[in-house]
Amino acid sequence: MNERNLAGLAATVLQPGFVGTTPPDWVCRWLADGLGAVVLFARNVVDPEQVAALTATLRAERPDVLVAIDEEAGDVTRIESGRGSSRPGNLALGAVDDPALTEEVARDLGGELADLGITLNYAPDADVNINPANPVIGVRSFGADPQLVARHTAAWVRGLQSAGVAACAKHFPGHGDTRVDSHHDLPRIAGSRARLDAGELVPFRAAVAAGVQAVMTGHLLVPALDPDLPATLSPRILGDLLRAELGFSGVVVTDAVEMRAVADRYGFAGTAVRALAAGADAICVGGERADEAAARYLRDAIVAAVLAGELPEERLAEAAKRVGQLAEWSTAARAGRPAPAPRPTGGSPVGLTAARRAVRVSGDPAGRLPLTAAAHVVEFAPPHNIAIGAETPWGLGVPLADLLPGTTTVRLTEADLPADPTGGAAGRPLVLVVRDLHRHPWMRAAVDRALATRPDAVVVELGLPELVTGRLHLATHGATRAAARAAAELLAGIR
């Protein structure tokens, strides 16, 4: 095969991002030359009309292009990054534990994505959050019970794909049992093969059984499966386990190849080439490297690897074929869809209903709920989780002020924490808002000081509710806009 044809195959397996709210010229040129997919980020999203116009422009260049997005519909949101998701995330759905509700929420999301012209969603997160100290998964997981995670993963896949959008279960073979974020370093997943079979692998088996169209690899070292290579680069994990043992025949997508867990060890292009050789079919790139030079560098490295005999041509052709098959599935799924109907401007009613069901109250609310006056809200802000958009708002103060005018809010970090975090709350109801209280000693100490001064304060946990404290505690199981609204309604006594 000549270099031009190899370049076309290499472009087919790339899923690059780009900067801007309209497709840049280089993306349009590449689509004409074989680019198989693009991935959208929050930086590409303004409003529904703009996204629909963007995807229409892409399809004018290549009708079957895959348009991907990383939309978990929880704390990790792209289509609602500017105001927070109007749907609850996985942990909230797991707390309710109604698979029919999970399927309904995913179908609702899928309908919105399909209306926008998006055809592949890097979700659901199928990780079992075995380690509560996990810095990057947490509320993105349905929970710590493999069977619960499995039934909701399957329901999420069914719901999303019934709306015509391909699901992508991640992060295979499971990112839940780690204290390390693969954006920064290579996590090591301990445990025997038997432990993995009874834990991490259970939801992925369920996803495959549910007909998931894609699986995303995790940049994870799992010695019980491969002592030498991360999952993204491991033929044992992608070939022997995912393909042969689990029977998955869809598209294997890498997590972003610029992530330091792999790029620091194998290089940017080296990771892409090794992943394809190991059995991956599509290379996700562009969260941090989102220009034509990065895409060209990967494409040329893939071609060079084939010419040098490092990447079998048959393997590249197989990967491109699978991407083409997913594009065919996507085209067929879109065929006959009704014209997009107007959606509520405030977000998803289905999502708010689900978020209300997920709120859990511990302690005695008698005489404490509803709040009898405008409150003072203290929000304790943990370090930023890179998986969550820095621009995505969170907190309880704004929705509570909507319901109880006069409510005031202060947000504190470890760096600016005063000796008395209750300042400004004299004579008023006090609400302490935390995210993953159990993971942050400074936050725990501050909350303890506040409760010693104001034992009547209400603690609201927007993260993983591992540590329940205070006489009255609310857990929303996520920091989404829907979760905050649900908690604010309960505090204000309007439901």
Side-chain angles (χ1 to χ4, degrees):
M1 183 176 290
N2 61 43
E3 287 191 39
R4 181 176 178 83
N5 290 337
L6 286 175
L9 290 178
T12 298
V13 303
L14 294 180
Q15 298 193 345
F18 58 86
V19 176
T21 55
T22 58
D25 290 342
W26 73 267
V27 168
C28 294
R29 284 188 281 103
W30 279 57
L31 288 170
D33 291 337
L35 182 64
V38 298
V39 56
L40 304 183
F41 294 86
R43 65 186 176 223
N44 306 120
V45 175
V46 176
D47 56 40
E49 293 75 22
Q50 169 265 328
V51 176
L54 184 157
T55 61
T57 301
L58 294 171
R59 290 209 166 78
E61 299 292 338
R62 179 168 182 166
D64 66 346
V65 61
L66 292 169
V67 181
I69 200 166
D70 188 9
E71 177 59 54
E72 297 178 13
D75 287 23
V76 177
T77 180
R78 310 307 179 206
I79 61 171
E80 295 187 283
S81 63
R83 56 180 185 168
S85 177
S86 59
R87 299 175 181 87
N90 283 3
L91 188 66
L93 294 171
V96 177
D97 196 13
D98 179 355
L101 177 67
T102 296
E103 187 167 344
E104 182 182 11
V105 170
R107 184 181 301 108
D108 180 61
L109 172 66
E112 182 169 357
L113 294 180
D115 288 349
L116 297 177
I118 293 165
T119 54
L120 170 62
N121 189 9
Y122 296 151
D125 189 312
D127 299 314
V128 182
N129 199 55
I130 295 169
N131 188 343
N134 195 314
V136 69
I137 302 302
V139 298
R140 301 168 65 195
S141 166
F142 289 110
D145 175 8
Q147 297 298 330
L148 179 146
V149 176
R151 60 179 170 266
H152 288 279
T153 294
W156 216 95
V157 167
R158 290 193 301 268
L160 188 77
Q161 293 190 168
S162 70
V165 177
C168 180
K170 63 186 182 186
H171 305 82
F172 187 80
H175 204 315
D177 190 14
T178 176
R179 290 176 177 263
V180 176
D181 181 349
S182 54
H183 290 90
H184 303 300
D185 203 352
L186 181 65
R188 185 180 187 276
I189 309 299
S192 66
R193 174 60 199 268
R195 209 296 303 276
L196 294 169
D197 278 333
E200 283 88 343
L201 295 178
V202 174
F204 290 99
R205 293 183 188 276
V208 172
V212 71
Q213 290 292 316
V215 169
M216 177 174 281
T217 67
H219 301 324
L220 312 161
L221 186 66
V222 190
L225 301 176
D226 188 327
D228 302 315
L229 293 170
T232 298
L233 312 181
S234 171
R236 294 185 190 179
I237 294 175
L238 301 188
D240 298 345
L241 177 57
L242 181 57
R243 293 291 189 200
E245 188 175 331
L246 270 63
F248 179 63
S249 59
V251 170
V252 175
V253 184
T254 69
D255 208 343
V257 291
E258 67 264 43
M259 289 168 63
R260 295 186 61 182
V262 286
D264 282 0
R265 290 165 173 78
Y266 303 98
F268 180 48
T271 296
V273 169
R274 286 171 175 258
L276 288 167
D281 305 305
I283 305 297
C284 174
V285 63
E288 299 170 36
R289 301 187 64 167
D291 54 21
E292 183 176 12
R296 183 186 298 114
Y297 183 60
L298 292 182
R299 182 195 64 190
D300 292 350
I302 293 168
V303 171
V306 174
L307 295 176
E310 299 167 3
L311 172 63
E313 182 180 319
E314 297 77 12
R315 170 80 271 275
L316 178 60
E318 177 187 52
K321 181 179 179 181
R322 285 207 183 97
V323 172
Q325 289 170 338
L326 180 56
E328 291 173 3
W329 180 93
S330 174
T331 300
R334 292 199 318 274
R337 284 196 82 250
R343 289 186 171 267
T345 56
S348 168
V350 170
L352 181 55
T353 297
R356 287 168 175 157
R357 291 180 62 184
V359 178
R360 297 291 180 268
V361 178
S362 300
D364 183 10
R368 295 186 175 90
L369 290 183
L371 301 180
T372 56
H376 182 62
V377 179
V378 182
E379 297 173 345
F380 296 95
H384 176 62
N385 181 333
I386 196 171
I388 300 169
E391 74 287 345
T392 302
W394 65 275
L396 191 60
V398 172
L400 189 58
D402 287 341
L403 302 178
L404 291 177
T407 291
T408 56
T409 304
V410 61
R411 179 167 293 182
L412 304 175
T413 67
E414 183 177 11
D416 58 19
L417 192 66
D420 180 9
T422 68
R428 305 166 61 190
L430 176 63
V431 180
L432 307 174
V433 180
V434 296
R435 294 178 79 173
D436 292 344
L437 180 63
H438 66 290
R439 291 202 302 112
H440 304 289
W442 69 269
M443 192 184 297
R444 231 170 21 243
V447 169
D448 287 345
R449 290 200 305 273
L451 289 173
T453 302
R454 289 287 304 269
D456 61 319
V458 180
V459 179
V460 180
E461 172 65 81
L462 302 184
L464 200 67
E466 283 291 309
L467 177 59
V468 175
T469 189
R471 295 179 183 175
L472 185 60
H473 184 278
L474 272 62
T476 63
H477 303 91
T480 65
R481 177 162 54 101
R485 173 71 189 194
E489 290 175 347
L490 193 58
L491 291 172
I494 70 167
R495 66 179 177 93

